[in-house]
Amino acid sequence: MKPLNIGLIGYGFMGRTHTNGYRQAPRFFDLEYHPVLKAVCARNEEKAKAFAEQQGYESVETDWRKLLERDDIDAVDVCVPNNLHKEISIAAAEAGKMVLCEKPLAMNTAEGIEMCEAVEKAGVRNMVWYNYRRVPAVTLAKQMIDEGRLGKIFHYRANFLQDWTINADVPQGGAATWRLDAEAAGSGVTGDLLAHCIDTALWLNGSIQDVSAVTETFVKERVHSETGEKTPVKIDDACAFHCHFDNGSLGLFESTRYARGHKALYTLEINGEHGSLRWDLHDLHRLEFFDHNDDSIVRGWRSIHVSDGDQPYMANWWVPGLQIGYEHTFVHQVADFLKSLESDQPAAPTFRDALETQRVCDAVLDSAATRSWKDVK
Amino acid sequence: MKPLNIGLIGYGFMGRTHTNGYRQAPRFFDLEYHPVLKAVCARNEEKAKAFAEQQGYESVETDWRKLLERDDIDAVDVCVPNNLHKEISIAAAEAGKMVLCEKPLAMNTAEGIEMCEAVEKAGVRNMVWYNYRRVPAVTLAKQMIDEGRLGKIFHYRANFLQDWTINADVPQGGAATWRLDAEAAGSGVTGDLLAHCIDTALWLNGSIQDVSAVTETFVKERVHSETGEKTPVKIDDACAFHCHFDNGSLGLFESTRYARGHKALYTLEINGEHGSLRWDLHDLHRLEFFDHNDDSIVRGWRSIHVSDGDQPYMANWWVPGLQIGYEHTFVHQVADFLKSLESDQPAAPTFRDALETQRVCDAVLDSAATRSWKDVK
Amino acid sequence: MKPLNIGLIGYGFMGRTHTNGYRQAPRFFDLEYHPVLKAVCARNEEKAKAFAEQQGYESVETDWRKLLERDDIDAVDVCVPNNLHKEISIAAAEAGKMVLCEKPLAMNTAEGIEMCEAVEKAGVRNMVWYNYRRVPAVTLAKQMIDEGRLGKIFHYRANFLQDWTINADVPQGGAATWRLDAEAAGSGVTGDLLAHCIDTALWLNGSIQDVSAVTETFVKERVHSETGEKTPVKIDDACAFHCHFDNGSLGLFESTRYARGHKALYTLEINGEHGSLRWDLHDLHRLEFFDHNDDSIVRGWRSIHVSDGDQPYMANWWVPGLQIGYEHTFVHQVADFLKSLESDQPAAPTFRDALETQRVCDAVLDSAATRSWKDVK
Amino acid sequence: MKPLNIGLIGYGFMGRTHTNGYRQAPRFFDLEYHPVLKAVCARNEEKAKAFAEQQGYESVETDWRKLLERDDIDAVDVCVPNNLHKEISIAAAEAGKMVLCEKPLAMNTAEGIEMCEAVEKAGVRNMVWYNYRRVPAVTLAKQMIDEGRLGKIFHYRANFLQDWTINADVPQGGAATWRLDAEAAGSGVTGDLLAHCIDTALWLNGSIQDVSAVTETFVKERVHSETGEKTPVKIDDACAFHCHFDNGSLGLFESTRYARGHKALYTLEINGEHGSLRWDLHDLHRLEFFDHNDDSIVRGWRSIHVSDGDQPYMANWWVPGLQIGYEHTFVHQVADFLKSLESDQPAAPTFRDALETQRVCDAVLDSAATRSWKDVK
């Protein structure tokens, strides 16, 4: 058993999910490396200490540069708002640390390129937390597509629908709502939600050539948490786009925070010559599969309860029929990252993989701004 | 094209469903015999005339004995409360008419035996309107079981849940609510609803050996429509029973009119060695199928949308994906009855078939009354 | 009771659905006017006679101009491929007949304008068979929106997914597959399927301002039924577009015939400030409703089984829980048309209403061809 | 922060679920007491050590009596086959330890009474691991019933369906399959699965008066793991019963391991005057609710995605829409147990609570054996 010392920067929602991943992975997977919760870093020392105590971190830092200087940190986990990803990740790479960065990789493609170059120049391991690849049902979808069960693909569609910003009194900026502040987030639903959909799509269905998008900001002004004043909202509240994939299929994507009744409805569907697949984050343990090869009188969409030992990741959990949840995607990503150290293979998605998602996001925002088709480049 | 002259006795809800079956069957099925709506019979002449005009009957009778005397009537359709089934059916048989009797066959087994003997002695065609056999999804279930897709059967379960009598102000007796009056109905949910479940079960899974039942009457007194007085309720508001089938499987049945939220939830499920089937009247065009022979990683319940041309009855309707409804079960039963005239085969379920359901109902009520297991005999 | 003499031109799938509407409407609705199946017209006399006999038409014509000359025809029902709608409808109007035209109204907006002018100049009643407005669940959605249950609308999305042309051996042209022949159909899924989605959307959510679309033809050549030769396919196999509605909401639409596993999956969803609605043609008797006004701990999407007497159209059918099907939409449209004669009100959608859908379709196809946003005009 | 030293006896499937509960509870709940994984005890030292290492136990014992003698153990967790529950639990109580016993409490009521008397005499805290009470959706159901949202109850039904013993080659006895061996398990599905359904039912709907049951053993002989010989199977493969609750409602319960297609389908439904509730372990984060008080035209079963902060336990996890899974029920039970130490209240279900379930199980088995109704006593 080898320790892997973790330094976490940021203690928000994502800090909790990653930490749980570090804690649980070695209890459920046979791993050579075991994460050690060495330090958590945040500007507010009191809150950082409370977090460290609750979550089991050994120490606290209030300056991330200090954290990078410590010899007892092997890997840095960047869990801060998007506008800080670049600076910290590059510095961590230059300090020779492994870098695990929360998604989206960067504020834009230009930043992302710098980050890729930094980690590659430094030769450090790097990964981005696009966790939904590791939902067992989604991993099973990948396996089925790779096995050729769907044949030639015609359509890919995905959406990510929420409803938490309909109330115009929700502010922008600050710890809880920085996602509404363009300065901190870079974009709205495009980088926050569609980036997830795009990452999965690129993984399951290959590259995207060009996009045509529309965005909308329904609430034009919101109070900014820092100033207390009404300020124009510059993020996209909603975004939809269609696109061409390299394999000739059409893509259709949509995201919004104004779809009343949907809390976190990430759904995807892929239609191929021989079969189709559907998945929905609200019931993440199920995968729906239509197999055209079934006898015609008994064909129908199958609701696969992905909880059996021969389905991805599930042998490590409970028994058939007993579902796991959202947090397990991070446990799986940690386990896969740790195994990648054993095998000396990259752990996907790397910064380079995530840069491709960034390119699509940039093309989408550019297309919406210019009301025209844009190539992904 | 040969006419088959219909004389309908009763013009209630079931009178409408049967009439629609007569009218529609020849428009959608290739049939040698075409029903002719010759006469409708009911004591209230005014209402009978209104019904005849709306539904297209050529004439009206107010005395069913007169109807039986008419030479221009080939088939008599008995659509009256249960306590009149026996007398009219036997008289119709003796008059040489074909007899199509609404379900349940009779008030009890003893009456049913007399009725069977009458139609068999007279040598007249006879059928009972257990219409749910002709839901395409249910017919497909029968086909799949007969093809051996399920293998040895372990379990059969069915229920029929409603909620329309929870309000204690619903009266008993009279045209709309005779189903709550034991004098007219014989029993409550057992004869009204469970009889449907039992008919389907016997058809799909074979004979029942013995039963153990419980019944309950939640509202003990209701105003009787005829007297205006509160009178004890003698029907069963709810009934549940378990049983053994001849094939070694266990059965579990339940019906009630006190299951808030269920309008007419007739569901059935059958579990076999190799597969299982589920069906639900609230979405009657779907059949769910689990096939254990599927690859283990992609096994799941299939939701079969029974609307393709190679599925039972559906070639006669629209195109794949476009559903039919409740009323079509009667169209199918009429079509099958008319085809049975061409082929000179019995049209199931005959009186004799329906008598078996009556025997089970009697055993169920007897078991509940005596709190003991009862053989079906 | 007043007769309304119908002359039907065309005897295909739609001829059957309309005819059933004429036959059933007066049996289930109280109507002053009763349709009389006076004549069916088609070039193939033998087939027309067979259709007339099966469906109950009194006579047959083989030249539609002859039909228009007959004094005993009140209303002409245009059930022929799209490229014949204009000529026949205008001639019928000029002959003083009511005109009921199958959707889409025309091959394009220009044709549609001529048709509108013709019926309006002639002062004849006119209607287009956008039947899905009369699914009870969809009509209930309209009622709920009009009651203000959803509040301000943010999103409208709809798709219509099929899978019947994936096989490259399906020909184009001819009686069964003229929908793949641009000469006969004008467009592919846009006019055939999206037109339905657009009609419903305009009805539920108001006018569309501008659109940005993409189309695709997956199978580039198909044998033409008439020539037996492989010919380029000129229709759109798939089409997706986003748009702005006048009310400020965003729209997202998609249709394809290459979505394996979907037979006729027309779904729609509308998200408002206070609530959302969803509907799906594959289970057309259900409407899903999310009401944000519910207590927060018990909020959830309701699955409304639209089969109660106080829900649109359902008092005319059976009892709660018993579903109706696809064909009933035409019965409802006939009933509403006949009632419009009594009230002397237009029966929606009129030619003028349907022209609006045509404008959107034209803008969609134009946008796809030019890869640019197009105003609806 | 106070430590609570845990000694776990048994390291099977349940050992893992409980251990995870101990590990996770203090990370997600604010608790005064923190469990310390002090020792795990099992006869096989090598396996016990491997378990201890993987799961983080500090030490290992191979004799449970030794464990009870240790002063550094506060609470003993009894995770062994049913036939050992009594002896160990009583000894643990006599040693002054808190006792947390896996369900069912005992082999039968007589044993259960001894156990209750022992813990009560010793005055030690005690709890039984009926974990499904702590599924947030089930806890919410309890809350809603207690709030009176359902009104007078008419029906309660539950089933627990599995399919893992259909294959006749599955052996009985041994570590993996002791549940098929009557010597170790006491009964089959009754104690293993129905006990869960009964515990929840008693909690939600009150006491059961009498029962009428049927059991079946489909595979009559199985190889015994210890002897390698075919031996008669003495457990119940399937069990169904109906019953009367004290509140006047009817109950219907069923369990089997021969329902092909169901891995762990524990469902429950409760029908009251004003509303109904349904829940299903296969999608455990959802609760279905029908509220008769809704406007009649928009009534329908709501699918409540129980993942919001104001729903039971969920404020301690992630954000709305992100589901938790099976293992969390044990985390909740641990958290509630630890809080009960702070408040000095009993943590339900206690041994005494679980004894009531045992009484019902005994009555069920007795009823099935004697083919007669049995009072619960």
Side-chain angles (χ1 to χ4, degrees), chain B residues 14-73:
Chain B
M14 280 302 151
R16 286 207 303 140
T17 63
H18 298 187
T19 300
N20 189 65
Y22 298 131
R23 193 169 50 232
Q24 294 285 75
R27 301 306 180 192
F28 291 93
F29 291 80
D30 283 324
L31 299 167
E32 196 177 322
Y33 290 86
H34 280 209
V36 179
L37 302 177
K38 214 65 190 181
V40 59
C41 172
R43 276 171 298 186
N44 183 318
E45 187 169 11
E46 193 178 356
K47 288 186 178 172
K49 279 187 174 167
F51 182 87
E53 186 173 355
Q54 172 112 46
Q55 295 295 327
Y57 281 86
E58 297 178 8
S59 65
V60 158
E61 295 288 345
T62 56
D63 177 348
W64 59 266
R65 293 176 195 281
K66 285 270 172 61
L67 185 81
L68 299 191
E69 289 169 9
R70 281 172 58 163
D71 288 340
D72 64 347
I73 299 296

Side-chain angles (χ1 to χ4, degrees), chain D residues 337-349:
Chain D
F337 180 77
L338 295 172
K339 281 187 218 157
S340 80
L341 302 184
E342 301 175 26
S343 65
D344 203 24
Q345 295 294 317

Side-chain angles (χ1 to χ4, degrees), chain B residues 26-174:
Chain B
R27 301 306 180 192
F28 291 93
F29 291 80
D30 283 324
L31 299 167
E32 196 177 322
Y33 290 86
H34 280 209
V36 179
L37 302 177
K38 214 65 190 181
V40 59
C41 172
R43 276 171 298 186
N44 183 318
E45 187 169 11
E46 193 178 356
K47 288 186 178 172
K49 279 187 174 167
F51 182 87
E53 186 173 355
Q54 172 112 46
Q55 295 295 327
Y57 281 86
E58 297 178 8
S59 65
V60 158
E61 295 288 345
T62 56
D63 177 348
W64 59 266
R65 293 176 195 281
K66 285 270 172 61
L67 185 81
L68 299 191
E69 289 169 9
R70 281 172 58 163
D71 288 340
D72 64 347
I73 299 296
D74 299 318
V76 170
D77 189 337
V78 182
C79 272
V80 290
N82 306 343
N83 58 338
L84 301 172
H85 286 191
K86 186 187 87 167
E87 185 180 11
I88 298 177
S89 293
I90 291 175
E94 289 171 353
K97 309 299 189 192
M98 302 179 195
V99 194
L100 300 93
C101 186
E102 182 50 35
K103 53 63 55 184
L105 177 62
M107 296 288 274
N108 52 52
T109 303
E111 280 194 9
I113 290 172
E114 285 186 67
M115 293 166 75
C116 287
E117 288 172 351
V119 292
E120 289 165 3
K121 182 176 171 197
V124 295
R125 294 189 156 273
N126 54 90
M127 188 174 71
V128 179
W129 293 94
Y130 281 113
N131 61 302
Y132 293 121
R133 294 188 181 196
R134 265 84 176 193
V135 174
V138 175
T139 312
L140 179 58
K142 169 70 171 164
Q143 176 184 329
M144 291 168 69
I145 293 167
D146 288 351
E147 288 170 358
R149 288 178 187 260
L150 269 53
K152 176 176 168 52
I153 303 302
F154 297 115
H155 292 283
Y156 190 100
R157 64 186 71 81
N159 57 22
F160 208 135
L161 308 183
Q162 300 186 331
D163 69 356
W164 65 282
T165 65
I166 291 178
N167 188 334
D169 295 337
V170 174
Q172 60 175 315

Side-chain angles (χ1 to χ4, degrees), chain B residues 16 20 23-24 26-27 54-55 263 282-286 305 308 317-318 323 326-328, chain C residues 16 20 23-24 26-27 54-56 263 282-286 305 308 317-318 323 326-328:
Chain B
R16 286 207 303 140
N20 189 65
R23 193 169 50 232
Q24 294 285 75
R27 301 306 180 192
Q54 172 112 46
Q55 295 295 327
K263 300 173 180 179
H282 276 199
D283 298 287
L284 63 81
H285 53 295
R286 290 189 178 272
H305 198 278
D308 278 12
W317 297 102
W318 313 106
Q323 72 196 62
Y326 163 75
E327 74 209 44
H328 301 75
Chain C
R16 286 208 302 140
N20 188 65
R23 193 169 50 232
Q24 293 285 76
R27 302 305 180 191
Q54 172 112 46
Q55 295 295 327
K263 300 174 181 181
H282 276 199
D283 298 286
L284 62 81
H285 52 295
R286 290 189 178 271
H305 197 278
D308 278 11
W317 296 104
W318 313 109
Q323 71 196 63
Y326 164 75
E327 74 209 44
H328 301 74

Side-chain angles (χ1 to χ4, degrees), chain C residues 114-134:
Chain C
E114 285 186 68
M115 294 166 75
C116 287
E117 289 172 350
V119 294
E120 289 166 2
K121 182 177 170 199
V124 296
R125 294 189 156 272
N126 54 90
M127 187 175 70
V128 179
W129 293 95
Y130 282 112
N131 59 302
Y132 293 121
R133 293 187 181 197
R134 265 83 176 193

Side-chain angles (χ1 to χ4, degrees), chain D residues 81-103:
Chain D
N82 307 342
N83 57 338
L84 301 172
H85 285 191
K86 187 187 85 168
E87 186 181 8
I88 298 177
S89 293
I90 291 175
E94 288 171 354
K97 311 297 188 192
M98 303 180 194
V99 194
L100 299 92
C101 184
E102 180 50 36
K103 51 65 56 184

Side-chain angles (χ1 to χ4, degrees), chain B residues 242-263:
Chain B
H242 37 250
C243 65
H244 295 95
F245 283 86
D246 276 3
N247 65 6
S249 61
L250 286 183
L252 188 62
F253 293 79
E254 187 192 15
S255 184
T256 181
R257 292 174 183 145
Y258 288 72
R260 186 59 85 194
H262 298 306
K263 300 173 180 179

Side-chain angles (χ1 to χ4, degrees), chain A residues 193-231:
Chain A
L193 305 178
L194 279 178
H196 275 301
C197 302
I198 294 164
D199 174 73
T200 318
L202 296 175
W203 188 51
L204 296 180
N205 199 40
S207 295
I208 291 174
Q209 288 182 342
D210 56 4
V211 305
S212 173
V214 64
T215 56
E216 184 61 78
T217 304
F218 290 111
V219 174
K220 308 295 186 193
E221 290 188 325
R222 291 181 185 272
V223 169
H224 199 291
S225 302
E226 286 163 23
T227 64
E229 307 214 341
K230 277 219 169 183
T231 314

